[in-house]
Every structure is written in structure tokens, then in C-alpha cells.
């Protein structure tokens, strides 16, 4: 073979050289001259006619384009393709779009054999069939036979017209257009999408879903054959009304398929034995809130595959609906639930409200997108930021006492103060005052910017007006946004927007909004199983998965939140009233958390509980249990605490301090009045004025520092001046009547035994430390002064109206 190849190539070259353009023209002219002149004229005329007809077709094709702008019913699908929700098309038809990959070989073969055997052989028009039909109709003086190809049927379905000869000519022109612009597969797809099934049902896929609850690719031969019968008489034949006749016709065609060799005998026999089990079932209307959202966002996507997990969605609905019904007895009428894959940020379940059709309680409102106050649910972000900046560590102590920030005086949910608490307890018990103190130390703008970084839209709009109240939910957030943040916590501080459509998978970028170390310390606190928020029913459950959670209750008890997360899932729960009505029993702990635990236990049943691992940047160190700081030589109670190496504060413990005192410890000395002898150095609690006041008010015993040496003349240069708590400086007070009194209160150092109050530089009275004094103020500007027994003084100005 190798030896003959050069010869073959040489022969081809000789032929190519011999068939030059001039020789071809000469041969053509010689052949043409041999044709009689009459036939030459006829050939020229035919060629010109064909060319003219072709040019006319092109002109008409431009002037009268195909009306193929169809609108289909939009199908919202689960991640695995299950149909969740279907909308009517714009012209109110159930017209589901059947994709090419859904047209099975059996469906294709059945339709083509029954409707147009020569579909793949003609160019839209079967002229032999037209001639046969014309002759038969003329002889019978009526229409007895049709000759419409599948392409011509598509033309008629696209542009319905009365059955006349002119209409038939129009169909033929449109059929030629279809063949010119589309492939055979696309034309067959159009036919299957437009074929009528009575009423407002069009297309094989719509009929398959409505009557067999299956997709076209899943239909059996018997079901396909039954569906091919209906379009011939869509209004007189209907499943459920003419089933016996439909089954009879179906079997007749099945036998014909066998006799014509379309399908094997065994396949046909199995189809004949299959009962006609067709019953009408309305199109599904699941996840209505998400479906409407997607319909607005993706109006041109007819088969939209979401990230929803069908089984998890079912679990969420089965658990939430009865729970919500029970809550209605407490006048809590609405709920919303989101389940997210913590690893991928894909929404797996979406319940905007338990009952979409509950018009009385605004069931059509999407509680997942609605903006509400989060209460304490944002505190994990606050403390995570404090950990990240090195301001706090979990075991550090922070005071929970009354504070006033220019008129903003936060209170705890229980109306009480708890003195010094650890940061982890402040977060676990959701204490408000430590949270506001922490945010004041960090700066409210930093937390607002962090929320904007995580796409909190309402916060971004209102960021110029937000302040310290953000720590306690003083901003608008949605359940979707909150789940986005908690998903970031579960994912080592990496944030990405939640996804609800499979096509969005590669369109979002990951942001590191929190360091892994800060996320771990926060997660470690929130994952402690025995926290105050845990419902009693779940405390001893052996199948309870490990997950962290946080609750929130908005001001006025209008919103109850509970959000849980682990390595597998993030679950967000909101309960309340879309009307904004508050309810006494509406709290995150009492209402939302039990539902969260039910959902998490069902979704992540018996999961492996080991998922939180500390990053390499996180270390452990010994700290003093009294302060959470690096121990001094006087610290005896030591515990382990996490810290971020090179970032976390390394302050020495100061919960005690050395004081020079007399041998009897009845006087204290400073460096300037320290005697040469008869003194000693002793340890005393190093309390801030606010903590000293708290201990005094609550009867908590502590060892006070002895009175300072009365002979010392330098007292005013040391210690802390009184801090006037009430009235707040630079504030305007409105008096209801002449008898209204104003309260005076100040925080002082531990060594102070007495204070003196002055109003407009006039002595009012002496008082004990932390004693409240009342007086009747005059109208106008009022100067208030407080002087302790060490000579230290503080003034403030208020306005009285």
C-alpha cells in the first residue's frame, strides 16, 4: 500500500491538471450545444423561475418573519430536577418547555411514525401526500384526508387560521420558512411544545406532568402512545372522562407499531398490559415566596434549577407548619426558616411563611427578605471583631453595670446588672451592657462597615445614622443576611453571598471577613451545649448534633430569632407578626430556639460532633481567673484562655493593688505622706468607681482601702474624681410640675467615705458614697458639683424646663 501511494497521488494530479477551468467550460458548452434549442429554452425558463421563486421566498421571509416568540410556563426545579413550582405562561397556558435532551428516542419514534413518516425526508411539504389528499377530497366533495406534515402543523400552531386553501398555502410557506431556519430536531421540539391537549394545556411535557406526574423522558411507550391520541381531538377526548376509548385507541396504535416493525413485539406486549393510569393533578406550587422572587429575577429562564434540596424542604415544612399553628394560640402568626449548606452557601430550604394563602396574616409576605430588628443576634459579630483586634479574649472580665453614653442607657433583657462577667458569659447570657461597652471601645462605624462588607443592604443605606444601638439590634436586617453572616462563622470567617440558583455557583467570590482565630473563639462560646438558651427537652438528647446558636429578641418583643450553625448546615429561624405587633411571650429563647432545635435535629440527625478545630494562629495561655489578664505574683486562681499570638492584649492583671497602710490598717499613705516607719504594704481590691458602687448597692462584701492619711496635703493630686451619673451632663430635663425633683448620683473611688453636693455653687448637703440625693431644681441652666472627702471635684451643666 505504501509503494502504490505515490502513483495514486500522481494520477490525482494528472486529473486535476487535465480538468482546468477552461476545459470544464469547453466540455459544458459541447454538452449544451447537443441539447435541442427547444429544450435549451425550457431549461433556461425553469432555472429563471426557480431563481425568481427563491428570491421571492427570501424577500417574503424578510417581510413576514416567523412568529416564533413563544412564552412558556416557568418551572422552578430543585437541585436534582424535581418540579417545585410552575407558573402559567404570559398567555395563561400550561405550556412547559420540553428541552431537546428530554425527547427520548421512544417519544421521537412514536410521534414521527404516527404524524409524519417522511418527516426526515421532505423539506416541510410532502407533495405526494398533498396530491393524494387533494384527489380524495375532490372525489368525496368534502375534506376526508389531510396532508399536513409535522412542520406544517407547527406552522398552523404558531399562527392559527381557518381551514381554507389559502390557509394551507400560508402553512406551506411557513413550513418552508421553518425548514430554512431550524433543524429537524428543533422543529420536532416546537411541535412537542405546542401540541394541544384541551383547555389551556399545550405541549407533551405539560400533559405528562399534569396527567402522569412525570417528565417526557420518563414516560413509557404506553403513556407516550396515549398522549399522541389526544391532540387529534383534544376537546372531545379527555383523561378521566374517555379513558376506555383512549385505551382502545392506544392499543390499536400499539399493535400497528408492532405490525409495521416500529417496536419489538416484546416491548409492545408489555405496553398493552400496562393499565391507563392517568389522573389530573394540579401543577405543584411549592416554595411560593422563592418562586415569585426567581420569576422576577430570571423572567426568561423557563426551567430554573435552584439549590433547594427536596427532602430538606419537606422536613422544614413538616416541622414548621404544625409548630406555627400552635404559636397562633399565643398571637404569634408568622414564621420564616432558611437552611443553608455551610460549606457552599447554597440555600437548601426556603420557607418565607408557613401559609402563603393566609391573607388574614399577610402570608404572601416573604419573611426571609423582610427587614426586622435582630435584637441580640448580631452580638457574635461584635465579640468576634473584638477578638480579632486583640481588645478582648474569652476569659477577660468586663463590667455589667449602669452606663450612660450621651443619653443612651442600655439595659439587660432581665432588667438587672451582674457586675463583672467574663466575655464568654456576656455572649452566652446575651448581656446588653457589656456588648454596648465593647462596641463603644471598638467604634460603631467598624461594625457597620463589617455589616456592609457582608451585603447588609438596609445597614448600608442607613449607615450614617447608626450608632451604639447596633450592638443590640438597632438596625434593619433580613433573615437571609443573618444566615449569610452565620454561614461565615461556620466557615472559618469566610463569607460569600447565599446562592439559590445552581447557575450562580461560580459567580460569587469568597471574602475573609473574620480571621479564623476570631471565628473559632466565637464558635467555641456559641457551641457550648449547656447554655441558657438550650430548650430543656434537648438537654439529654443523645442524637443532638453539635452546633452553635444564638438568639435575639427585638425591642418591644416584635421579633424572635434563633440561628444555628455547624460545619454542615446553617439554620435561621424567625417568628413574629408581619404587622409588627409585639407579644409578651415572643422571645428568641422561648419561641424561636425550640423550633431551631427541632429542625437541626431532623436535618443533621446523629451527626459527628467534632467539627471545630483551632487554627495555628490561636494559642492558649494561663490567665488570672479574676480578670482574664496575664497573672501577677498575687494571682492565685489561674485558668487557661485562648489568645491570638501577636494581636491579643497582654496586659498584666490589676484586680488587686498594693497600698501603703498603717500597721493597724486604719490609714493609707501615698508616696508623699509615707512615714519612715510603722507602715506596711498590703493588697486591696482595685475596683473601678462603677464596680465599687455596684458592690455597695448590692451588698457584696469587699475589703475597702483605708481612709487616706488626714494629715496629707497632696490628696487632690491622686486618685479619681467623682463621676456624676445623674443627671447626665449637657442634658435638658422637662419638669412635669413644681414638685418634680431631680436625682443626684455619682460614682467615687473606693477610699471615699463622704461626698458633698453643690447646686449653682451653693452647698446642698453631704451624702454617703453611692447615696442618691433629690432636690427641686430652678428653671434654666443649672450647675451641679460633687466634691469627695479628698477634695476632688466634678462639675456638670444641665438645662431644666
Amino acid at each position: 500500500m505504501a509503494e502504490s501511494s505515490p502513483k495514486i497521488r500522481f494520477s490525482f494530479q494528472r486529473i486535476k491538471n487535465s480538468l482546468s477551468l477552461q476545459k470544464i467550460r469547453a466540455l459544458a458548452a459541447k454538452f449544451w450545444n447537443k441539447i435541442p434549442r427547444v429544450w435549451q429554452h425550457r431549461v433556461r425558463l425553469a432555472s429563471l423561475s426557480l431563481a425568481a421563486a427563491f428570491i421571492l421566498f427570501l424577500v417574503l421571509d424578510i417581510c413576514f418573519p416567523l412568529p416564533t416568540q413563544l412564552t412558556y410556563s416557568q418551572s422552578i426545579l430543585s437541585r436534582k430536577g424535581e418540579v417545585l413550582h410552575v407558573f402559567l405562561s404570559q398567555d395563561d397556558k400550561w405550556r412547559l418547555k420540553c428541552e431537546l435532551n428530554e425527547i427520548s428516542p421512544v417519544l421521537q419514534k412514536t410521534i414521527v411514525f404516527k404524524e409524519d413518516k417522511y418527516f426526515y425526508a421532505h423539506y416541510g411539504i410532502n407533495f405526494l401526500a398533498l396530491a393524494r389528499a387533494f384527489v380524495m377530497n375532490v372525489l368525496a366533495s368534502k375534506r376526508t384526508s389531510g396532508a399536513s406534515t409535522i412542520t406544517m402543523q407547527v406552522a398552523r400552531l404558531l399562527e392559527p387560521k381557518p381551514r381554507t386553501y389559502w390557509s394551507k398555502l400560508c402553512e406551506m410557506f411557513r413550513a418552508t420558512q421553518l425548514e430554512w431556519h431550524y433543524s429537524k430536531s428543533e422543529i420536532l421540539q416546537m411541535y412537542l411544545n405546542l401540541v394541544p391537549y384541551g383547555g389551556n394545556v399545550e405541549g407533551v411535557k405539560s400533559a405528562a406532568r399534569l396527567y402522569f406526574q412525570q417528565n417526557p423522558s420518563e414516560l413509557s411507550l404506553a403513556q407516550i402512545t396515549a398522549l399522541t391520541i389526544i391532540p387529534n381531538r383534544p376537546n372531545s377526548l379527555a383523561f378521566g372522562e374517555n379513558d376506555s376509548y383512549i385505551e382502545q385507541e392506544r392499543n390499536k396504535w400499539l399493535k400497528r407499531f408492532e405490525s409495521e416493525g416500529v417496536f419489538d413485539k416484546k416491548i409492545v406486549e408489555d405496553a398493552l398490559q400496562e393499565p391507563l393510569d392517568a389522573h389530573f393533578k394540579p401543577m405543584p406550587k411549592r416554595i411560593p415566596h422563592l418562586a415569585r422572587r426567581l420569576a422576577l429575577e430570571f423572567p426568561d429562564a423557563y426551567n430554573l434549577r435552584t439549590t433547594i434540596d427536596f427532602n430538606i424542604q419537606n422536613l422544614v415544612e413538616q416541622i414548621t407548619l404544625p409548630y406555627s399553628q400552635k404559636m397562633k394560640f399565643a398571637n404569634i402568626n408568622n414564621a420564616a426558616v432558611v437552611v443553608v449548606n455551610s460549606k457552599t452557601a447554597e440555600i437548601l430550604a426556603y420557607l418565607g411563611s408557613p401559609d402563603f394563602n393566609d391573607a388574614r396574616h399577610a402570608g404572601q409576605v416573604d419573611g426571609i427578605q423582610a427587614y426586622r430588628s435582630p435584637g441580640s443576634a448580631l452580638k457574635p459579630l461584635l465579640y468576634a471583631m473584638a477578638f480579632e483586634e486583640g481588645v478582648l479574649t474569652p476569659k477577660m472580665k468586663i463590667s455589667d453595670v449602669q452606663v450612660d453614653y450621651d443619653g443612651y442607657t442600655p439595659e439587660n433583657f432581665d432588667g438587672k446588672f451582674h457586675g463583672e462577667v467574663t466575655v464568654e458569659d456576656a455572649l452566652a447570657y446575651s448581656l446588653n451592657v457589656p456588648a454596648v461597652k465593647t462596641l463603644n471601645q471598638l467604634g460603631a462605624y467598624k461594625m457597620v462597615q463589617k455589616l456592609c462588607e457582608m451585603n447588609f443592604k438596609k445597614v448600608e443605606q442607613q449607615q450614617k445614622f447608626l450608632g451604639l444601638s447596633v450592638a443590640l439590634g438597632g438596625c434593619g436586617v433580613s433573615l437571609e443576611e443573618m444566615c449569610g453572616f452565620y454561614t461565615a462563622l461556620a466557615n472559618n470567617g469566610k463569607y460569600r453571598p447565599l446562592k439559590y440558583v445552581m447557575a450562580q455557583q461560580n459567580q460569587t467570590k469568597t471574602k475573609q471577613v473574620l480571621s479564623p482565630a476570631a471565628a473559632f473563639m466565637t464558635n467555641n462560646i456559641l457551641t457550648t451545649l449547656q447554655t441558657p438558651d438550650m430548650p430543656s427537652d434537648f438537654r439529654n438528647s443523645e442524637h443532638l448534633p453539635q452546633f452553635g446558636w444564638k438568639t435575639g429578641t427585638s425591642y418591644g418583643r416584635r421579633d424572635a430569632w434563633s440561628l444555628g450553625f455547624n460545619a454542615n448546615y446553617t439554620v435561621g429561624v424567625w417568628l413574629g407578626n408581619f404587622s409588627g405587633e409585639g407579644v409578651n411571650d415572643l422571645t428568641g429563647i422561648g419561641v424561636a430556639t425550640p423550633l431551631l432545635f427541632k429542625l437541626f435535629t431532623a436535618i443533621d440527625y446523629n451527626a459527628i460532633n467534632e467539627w471545630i478545630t483551632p487554627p495555628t494562629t490561636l494559642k492558649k495561655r494561663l490567665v488570672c481567673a479574676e480578670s482574664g489578664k496575664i497573672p501577677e505574683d498575687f494571682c492565685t486562681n489561674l485558668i487557661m484562655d485562648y489568645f491570638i499570638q501577636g494581636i491579643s492584649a497582654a496586659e498584666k492583671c490589676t484586680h488587686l493593688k498594693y497600698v501603703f497602710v498603717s500597721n493597724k490598717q486604719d490609714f493609707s499613705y501615698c508616696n508623699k505622706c509615707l512615714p519612715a516607719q510603722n507602715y506596711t504594704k498590703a493588697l486591696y481590691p482595685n475596683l473601678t468607681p462603677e464596680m465599687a458602687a455596684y458592690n455597695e448597692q448590692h451588698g457584696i462584701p469587699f475589703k475597702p482601702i483605708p481612709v487616706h492619711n488626714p494629715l496629707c496635703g497632696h490628696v487632690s493630686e491622686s486618685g479619681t474624681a467623682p463621676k456624676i451619673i445623674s443627671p447626665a451632663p449637657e442634658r435638658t430635663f422637662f419638669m412635669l410640675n413644681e414638685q418634680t425633683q431631680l436625682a443626684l448620683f455619682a460614682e467615687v473611688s473606693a477610699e471615699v467615705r463622704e461626698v458633698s453636693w453643690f447646686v449653682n455653687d451653693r452647698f446642698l448637703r453631704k451624702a454617703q458614697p453611692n447615696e442618691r440625693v433629690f432636690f427641686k431644681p430652678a428653671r434654666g441652666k443649672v450647675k451641679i458639683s460633687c466634691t469627695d472627702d479628698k477634695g476632688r471635684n466634678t462639675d456638670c451643666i444641665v438645662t431644666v424646663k
Side-chain angles (χ1 to χ4, degrees):
M1 194 70 178
E3 294 178 359
S4 61
S5 295
K7 295 181 179 180
I8 294 172
R9 286 198 297 270
F10 178 74
S11 299
F12 284 152
Q13 188 64 35
R14 289 184 61 187
I15 295 171
K16 182 179 177 181
N17 294 336
S18 63
L19 292 177
S20 62
L21 185 60
Q22 291 180 352
K23 291 182 178 180
I24 291 173
R25 285 177 178 174
L27 288 172
K30 187 177 180 180
F31 175 76
W32 177 255
N33 292 330
K34 290 182 179 181
I35 299 175
R37 289 185 176 276
V38 175
W39 284 103
Q40 287 181 5
H41 176 71
R42 290 174 180 175
V43 169
R44 288 193 185 98
L45 185 62
S47 300
L48 289 172
S49 299
L50 287 174
F54 180 68
I55 293 171
L56 177 63
F57 168 76
L58 293 178
V59 172
L60 292 174
D61 182 58
I62 295 171
C63 295
F64 302 98
L66 280 165
T68 55
Q69 298 300 318
L70 288 174
T71 62
Y72 293 95
S73 300
Q74 189 175 44
S75 296
I76 309 298
L77 311 176
S78 73
R79 64 189 304 110
K80 293 183 179 179
E82 297 102 337
V83 180
L84 297 173
H85 197 107
V86 181
F87 293 97
L88 286 167
S89 64
Q90 291 181 12
D91 54 349
D92 293 330
K93 302 282 188 181
W94 290 120
R95 187 189 296 123
L96 296 176
K97 187 175 184 180
C98 183
E99 301 291 353
L100 288 170
N101 59 6
E102 294 181 289
I103 304 174
S104 66
V106 175
L107 175 60
Q108 178 183 347
K109 192 183 294 187
T110 303
I111 290 293
V112 170
F113 178 81
K114 184 176 181 299
E115 296 296 329
D116 187 0
K117 292 181 182 178
Y118 304 103
F119 174 65
Y120 292 103
H122 59 68
Y123 199 75
I125 304 169
N126 189 335
F127 289 100
L128 291 176
L130 274 175
R132 175 183 57 79
F134 179 77
V135 171
M136 292 181 65
N137 293 340
V138 169
L139 292 176
S141 299
K142 62 179 181 179
R143 184 178 180 277
T144 61
S145 176
S148 294
T149 62
I150 286 178
T151 312
M152 292 171 68
Q153 291 184 61
V154 171
R156 184 167 64 248
L157 292 169
L158 286 171
E159 200 173 33
K161 293 180 181 294
R163 289 182 177 272
T164 62
Y165 287 110
W166 172 250
S167 297
K168 183 63 70 174
L169 287 173
C170 290
E171 282 178 24
M172 293 167 65
F173 168 69
R174 291 299 192 191
T176 308
Q177 279 184 297
L178 285 166
E179 295 283 348
W180 177 257
H181 289 284
Y182 297 97
S183 67
K184 289 291 185 180
S185 296
E186 290 172 326
I187 294 170
L188 182 61
Q189 181 189 17
M190 287 186 198
Y191 174 78
L192 293 174
N193 285 328
L194 291 169
V195 61
Y197 282 90
N200 66 339
V201 181
E202 290 186 2
V204 169
K205 187 172 183 178
S206 301
R209 292 299 317 171
L210 285 168
Y211 296 109
F212 295 109
Q213 292 76 57
Q214 291 179 306
N215 289 321
S217 58
E218 301 167 342
L219 294 173
S220 66
L221 175 60
Q223 292 170 329
I224 290 172
T225 308
L227 287 176
T228 61
I229 296 167
I230 307 298
N232 296 327
R233 286 183 288 167
N235 294 319
S236 59
L237 290 178
F239 288 116
E241 297 178 8
N242 308 90
D243 285 358
S244 58
Y245 181 75
I246 294 173
E247 187 171 1
Q248 178 183 335
E249 288 296 306
R250 180 201 72 178
N251 293 343
K252 186 187 298 182
W253 274 101
L254 286 171
K255 291 174 182 176
R256 187 172 174 182
F257 293 156
E258 181 188 346
S259 63
E260 295 282 347
V262 180
F263 296 104
D264 293 339
K265 181 179 180 180
K266 174 60 176 167
I267 296 174
V268 173
E269 287 178 352
D270 291 341
L272 289 168
Q273 296 299 317
E274 185 177 325
L276 181 62
D277 184 19
H279 55 280
F280 181 84
K281 185 177 180 180
M283 291 290 186
K285 294 290 182 182
R286 306 286 296 277
I287 56 167
H289 299 90
L290 179 59
R292 289 195 168 196
R293 178 178 178 178
L294 294 174
L296 292 173
E297 192 171 346
F298 304 97
D300 299 325
Y302 296 120
N303 290 305
L304 194 57
R305 191 179 290 262
T306 68
T307 59
I308 296 297
D309 186 295
F310 191 80
N311 294 327
I312 293 179
Q313 181 71 30
N314 283 341
L315 279 174
V316 168
E317 292 177 3
Q318 291 166 10
I319 293 171
T320 306
L321 267 60
Y323 187 86
S324 178
Q325 290 295 325
K326 186 174 69 173
M327 288 295 104
K328 287 187 176 182
F329 291 105
N331 196 31
I332 302 169
N333 300 301
N334 301 110
V337 175
V338 179
V339 179
V340 182
N341 183 320
S342 294
K343 297 183 179 71
T344 62
E346 295 172 345
I347 293 178
L348 303 177
Y350 192 108
L351 187 66
S353 74
D355 185 0
F356 183 80
N357 298 314
D358 184 5
R360 181 181 177 187
H361 300 112
Q364 294 188 9
V365 173
D366 187 353
I368 292 170
Q369 293 190 83
Y371 287 103
R372 316 290 296 187
S373 167
S376 298
L378 282 176
K379 287 176 183 173
L381 173 61
L382 167 63
Y383 286 109
M385 291 175 64
F387 295 149
E388 187 172 55
E389 294 199 12
V391 175
L392 298 174
T393 59
K395 299 294 184 182
M396 275 188 183
K397 290 289 185 72
I398 187 169
S399 62
D400 177 24
V401 295
Q402 183 178 358
V403 292
D404 189 308
Y405 295 106
D406 295 327
Y408 178 52
T409 55
E411 293 183 353
N412 291 317
F413 187 77
D414 58 5
K416 301 177 182 178
F417 298 103
H418 304 86
E420 280 194 333
V421 295
T422 61
V423 171
E424 60 186 7
D425 282 344
L427 177 55
Y429 286 84
S430 198
L431 300 178
N432 291 341
V433 176
V436 175
K437 283 188 174 182
T438 302
L439 185 57
N440 184 57
Q441 190 174 359
L442 280 176
Y445 73 95
K446 289 186 179 180
M447 185 171 177
V448 170
Q449 289 305 310
K450 188 69 71 174
L451 290 170
C452 294
E453 194 177 343
M454 291 186 286
N455 297 328
F456 280 70
K457 300 298 184 185
K458 187 68 70 173
V459 171
E460 190 172 355
Q461 294 172 10
Q462 301 175 343
Q463 57 182 307
K464 294 181 180 179
F465 310 101
L466 299 177
L468 294 178
S469 63
V470 171
L472 309 183
C475 58
V477 302
S478 70
L479 183 59
E480 182 175 335
E481 291 170 346
M482 292 297 289
C483 285
F485 159 59
Y486 278 86
T487 302
L489 271 184
N491 204 23
N492 296 317
K494 295 176 184 176
Y495 168 82
R496 50 184 162 183
L498 301 187
K499 300 186 288 273
Y500 40 82
V501 174
M502 295 298 284
Q504 294 174 310
Q505 296 232 358
N506 299 319
Q507 297 179 7
T508 56
K509 294 182 179 179
T510 301
K511 300 181 196 172
Q512 192 74 47
V513 294
L514 292 170
S515 68
F520 171 83
M521 286 192 282
T522 308
N523 294 347
N524 197 43
I525 296 171
L526 298 177
T527 312
T528 304
L529 281 177
Q530 298 299 328
T531 67
D533 296 357
M534 176 173 280
S536 57
D537 293 349
F538 292 89
R539 290 187 185 274
N540 300 316
S541 174
E542 61 177 301
H543 298 294
L544 181 68
Q546 184 181 13
F547 62 94
W549 75 92
K550 183 70 185 73
T551 62
T553 305
S554 67
Y555 179 77
R557 302 198 177 191
R558 295 180 174 89
D559 307 277
W561 303 76
S562 194
L563 297 112
F565 62 96
N566 66 10
N568 300 322
Y569 302 103
T570 298
V571 181
V573 172
W574 172 89
L575 282 97
N577 293 305
F578 290 145
S579 64
E581 179 184 358
V583 180
N584 286 336
D585 295 332
L586 188 63
T587 64
I589 296 173
V591 170
T593 300
L595 178 57
L596 173 71
F597 272 70
K598 288 176 182 287
L599 291 167
F600 229 118
T601 304
I603 294 168
D604 206 21
Y605 180 78
N606 213 18
I608 298 173
N609 283 341
E610 297 296 331
W611 68 279
I612 297 182
T613 54
T616 56
T617 55
L618 196 65
K619 307 295 180 182
K620 277 189 172 185
R621 66 186 178 189
L622 279 172
V623 296
C624 176
E626 303 300 327
S627 64
K629 298 179 180 179
I630 304 299
E632 278 283 12
D633 56 356
F634 51 72
C635 297
T636 57
N637 186 10
L638 305 182
I639 55 175
M640 298 298 293
D641 189 20
Y642 284 109
F643 76 103
I644 305 175
Q645 197 167 20
I647 295 177
S648 296
E651 298 176 15
K652 292 284 188 177
C653 177
T654 56
H655 84 281
L656 295 177
K657 67 177 180 179
Y658 286 102
V659 179
F660 294 112
V661 295
S662 61
N663 289 335
K664 294 182 179 181
Q665 295 193 12
D666 50 356
F667 293 107
S668 61
Y669 302 105
C670 64
N671 290 330
K672 294 185 179 181
C673 68
L674 184 66
Q677 58 185 1
N678 296 325
Y679 73 91
T680 185
K681 189 166 69 169
L683 284 170
Y684 285 87
N686 187 20
L687 299 176
T688 61
E690 60 184 16
M691 282 308 304
Y694 176 84
N695 289 344
E696 287 274 358
Q697 292 171 6
H698 291 80
I700 300 174
F702 66 96
K703 184 180 177 181
I705 297 173
V707 176
H708 194 73
N709 179 13
L711 301 178
C712 179
H714 303 279
V715 176
S716 60
E717 298 177 7
S718 63
T720 305
K723 179 182 179 182
I724 298 177
I725 302 299
S726 175
E730 307 299 329
R731 197 78 58 80
T732 299
F733 294 88
F734 292 88
M735 315 310 289
L736 297 177
N737 51 56
E738 296 296 330
Q739 304 302 317
T740 304
Q741 294 185 327
L742 202 60
L744 303 177
F745 177 74
E747 291 177 350
V748 297
S749 299
E751 70 273 12
V752 174
R753 296 293 177 266
E754 189 178 65
V755 296
S756 299
W757 288 97
F758 297 83
V759 176
N760 292 330
D761 295 325
R762 290 187 179 182
F763 176 73
L764 179 65
R765 58 164 287 192
K766 291 184 181 293
Q768 296 296 313
N770 307 315
E771 178 186 352
R772 292 183 182 272
V773 174
F774 295 88
F775 80 104
K776 295 178 183 178
R779 301 296 185 269
K781 296 283 185 182
V782 179
K783 178 183 177 183
I784 297 172
S785 306
C786 182
T787 304
D788 64 18
D789 54 11
K790 305 298 180 286
R792 297 170 297 217
N793 180 76
T794 300
D795 299 327
C796 79
I797 304 294
V798 298
T799 302
V800 178
K801 293 184 179 181

